[in-house]
Amino acid sequence: MKKRTIIKIIIAILPIILNFILIPVQFNFSPIIGPTDVDEIRYGKFKGDYLISDGVGVVKIMDPYTRQILWKNNCPHFFFHDADLLPNGDVLIADTGGDKIIEINITTNKVVWEWDAKNNSQVNWTDFGLKNGWDHNALSIVQNKNPPNGYYTHLNAVEFINGSQSGKKYDTVLVSIRNFDLLIEINHSAKIGEPGYLNITWHYGIPGNHSLLFHQHSPKRLSNGHTLVCDSENNRVIEIDKNGKLIWEYRDKKLRWVRDCDLLPNGNLLITDSNNNRIIEINKTTKEIVKCFTFGLFTPFDADLTSDGKIIVGNTFGDDIIVYDYSSGLVVDIIGFNYLFAPIFFTILAVIIYQIGNLIYVFKNLNEKSIIKRFRKREVYSKLVIIITLTIFIYFFYYFMAYIWNYGIWHFTESFPRPSI
Ligand SMILES: [Ca+2]
Ligand SMILES: [Ca+2]
């Protein structure tokens, strides 16, 4: 086989090899790994920064402009899903791997409050189930603390609810327990020994009863007291009142695993349609899609509208946070490295290296006169043009990808309506 053919084969295989190397290595270098929930911090000394729940059990606060990590918890578990910054400055975390909700003081990095779904002295599920008339199937789900295939609770969301805003004398946290198909609200104010300590003050759903909820995500308490929740494996978003009555429903057979839904200031809903790799905004009344964001998305978990008019997305399998301009729909920033694009990136890099190698080969062992002579040849210029063009392309890689996607590719690849962008 000719030497050149061997080099060409290596160049073709190199991106694939690099990808295999990159995936484990990026765990050490990437600022974000498998992000789930990403919040813009709205108050306090971290105002404007992002609170990020990384899939590898780290919650961190990042300055989105400098990419500097300003804080991170140092008690990692395998899996965190969701975090909330509390008005007192602590961070509340849905510790999926530990079947717990924990509150961490940012200054001391110590756990200052916790609710443990596995701890009988904090919650007796059998008593709770019997009191609420659960059947044998529901009781057997909550009683099996070590299910053979997976987590006990897989609790996947926590939201702090200020009592004064909801007419209560105490604050609560709204928790989604995915494997129980259950939402609960827990008293967060009462301390150990005080009346009401860790009491479940509200709940919705029955374990195993999929007509109510089926592996839900991201419940939100609305200002009218209703609860908005993604009923993920039923492929719908529902709103229920405090008595558990279904008030509103958005069900579409095109939805695939909805995992986040926010009520926007204009009354529309921002929905993360995870397995369709898209964020949609729908009109709550007509249920029509009015906006759709897709660029670079790879099983996104959560999307929020920020105070400065951006949509920030925790793009779990893309290993990054994608930031869109809300009104134009264009990508304005990507935080982290999206290995979705790595094959393209490394193929181009390999071509550049190959062409540089070629150039070196052409000029090897030539004297000064012959070098000048060789520079007059068209072949040398074409190689230089390729190297310079591709180097510029690599440098502005994400901007080019964003441009190509926003203005072109989706016209051919997408079967969903995209009215506004
Ligand atoms: Ca959150
Ligand atoms: Ca959200």
Side-chain angles (χ1 to χ4, degrees):
M1 208 185 287
K2 275 188 185 170
K3 209 169 155 191
R4 257 171 191 251
T5 319
I6 295 170
I7 292 171
K8 277 180 186 166
I9 292 170
I10 292 173
I11 284 171
I13 298 171
L14 199 63
I16 301 163
I17 297 169
L18 280 171
N19 263 321
F20 275 106
I21 297 169
L22 174 85
I23 291 167
V25 166
Q26 69 169 342
F27 281 79
N28 297 319
F29 297 107
S30 180
I32 319 268
I33 297 150
T36 47
D37 175 55
V38 181
D39 296 340
E40 177 202 21
I41 297 172
R42 302 275 177 132
Y43 44 71
K45 66 172 176 172
F46 295 110
K47 192 168 179 228
D49 297 322
Y50 293 172
L51 180 71
I52 303 160
S53 306
D54 247 7
V56 289
V58 183
V59 170
K60 51 183 80 161
I61 294 174
M62 177 191 266
D63 180 324
Y65 299 103
T66 64
R67 313 296 207 236
Q68 208 187 338
I69 305 291
L70 304 170
W71 177 84
K72 66 178 179 177
N73 75 290
N74 58 9
C75 54
H77 286 267
F78 173 61
F79 199 10
F80 285 162
H81 247 102
D82 184 18
D84 240 8
L85 191 70
L86 302 184
N88 68 5
D90 293 348
V91 175
L92 197 66
I93 298 171
D95 174 4
T96 310
D99 294 302
K100 285 176 187 172
I101 301 296
I102 54 175
E103 180 180 335
I104 295 178
N105 178 293
I106 280 194
T107 315
T108 63
N109 227 321
K110 293 237 159 49
V111 175
V112 291
W113 181 90
E114 77 169 28
W115 176 81
D116 182 348
K118 268 188 166 169
N119 186 336
N120 268 341
S121 66
Q122 295 191 1
V123 53
N124 185 320
W125 288 112
T126 305
D127 285 355
F128 183 79
L130 289 171
K131 208 172 102 189
N132 289 290
W134 289 358
D135 60 13
H136 175 73
N137 180 45
L139 289 172
S140 69
I141 291 170
V142 295
Q143 283 164 348
N144 184 5
K145 293 199 173 177
N146 294 299
N149 302 314
Y151 299 106
Y152 172 51
T153 56
H154 196 105
L155 57 86
N156 59 14
V158 62
E159 190 189 51
F160 176 79
I161 298 169
N162 200 317
S164 59
Q165 284 166 10
S166 56
K168 288 197 187 92
K169 289 203 172 93
Y170 53 90
D171 301 326
T172 55
V173 287
L174 183 61
V175 182
S176 162
I177 306 180
R178 191 199 77 166
N179 284 2
F180 292 3
D181 306 307
L182 183 70
L183 300 178
I184 57 168
E185 198 174 338
I186 308 166
N187 184 325
H188 177 264
S189 294
K191 305 280 180 293
I192 300 175
E194 288 179 7
Y197 173 64
L198 297 181
N199 271 0
I200 295 176
T201 59
W202 179 83
H203 75 282
Y204 175 78
I206 298 168
N209 183 339
H210 296 155
S211 67
L212 298 175
L213 286 175
F214 189 7
H215 287 179
Q216 74 290 336
H217 286 82
S218 302
K220 310 275 159 58
R221 180 60 47 79
L222 304 177
S223 56
N224 61 5
H226 294 174
T227 304
L228 191 67
V229 60
C230 293
D231 188 6
S232 309
E233 293 196 30
N234 281 326
N235 289 323
R236 61 177 188 158
V237 179
I238 57 170
E239 182 180 331
I240 45 174
D241 70 7
K242 61 179 192 254
N243 300 315
K245 188 175 163 227
L246 187 73
I247 302 296
W248 179 89
E249 178 189 42
Y250 172 57
R251 191 193 277 266
D252 189 325
K253 62 179 187 316
K254 280 184 174 169
L255 294 175
R256 287 164 67 209
W257 208 29
V258 281
R259 291 195 296 170
D260 183 42
C261 180
D262 296 344
L263 182 64
L264 298 177
N266 64 4
N268 290 347
L269 295 176
L270 189 73
I271 298 171
T272 303
D273 189 9
S274 291
N275 276 354
N276 279 324
N277 298 320
R278 61 176 187 164
I279 310 296
I280 52 173
E281 179 182 338
I282 65 155
N283 180 308
K284 203 176 169 210
T285 315
T286 64
K287 297 179 184 173
E288 275 171 343
I289 296 173
V290 295
K291 263 183 203 284
C292 186
F293 305 86
T294 56
F295 173 77
L297 295 182
F298 192 4
T299 321
F301 184 87
D302 163 69
D304 290 356
L305 175 64
T306 64
S307 55
D308 59 351
K310 290 173 187 152
I311 298 286
I312 51 171
V313 181
N315 190 28
T316 308
F317 289 167
D319 281 344
D320 55 12
I321 296 168
I322 298 200
V323 184
Y324 301 90
D325 176 66
Y326 171 64
S327 46
S328 69
L330 299 178
V331 173
V332 290
D333 200 3
I334 294 174
I335 303 170
F337 183 77
N338 189 328
Y339 72 85
L340 240 190
F341 297 139
I344 305 170
F345 186 88
F346 284 114
T347 305
I348 296 167
L349 202 61
V351 173
I352 294 173
I353 293 165
Y354 175 72
Q355 294 294 355
I356 291 173
N358 252 335
L359 263 188
I360 292 168
Y361 183 77
V362 167
F363 286 103
K364 218 170 81 179
N365 301 329
L366 292 181
N367 60 30
E368 207 179 318
K369 252 189 176 172
S370 332
I371 290 178
I372 294 164
K373 218 170 150 189
R374 191 59 60 91
F375 254 117
R376 291 191 186 126
K377 290 209 168 177
R378 202 171 144 257
E379 183 201 352
V380 172
Y381 283 107
S382 67
K383 283 192 195 323
L384 277 174
V385 167
I386 291 172
I387 292 168
I388 293 165
T389 312
L390 291 182
T391 306
I392 293 169
F393 185 77
I394 286 266
Y395 189 78
F396 295 105
F397 184 68
Y398 277 128
Y399 295 96
F400 279 116
M401 293 309 290
Y403 187 85
I404 290 166
W405 188 270
N406 285 324
Y407 289 106
I409 287 177
W410 62 262
H411 287 289
F412 305 103
T413 58
E414 190 50 61
S415 58
F416 294 101
R418 289 156 195 276
S420 60
I421 57 172

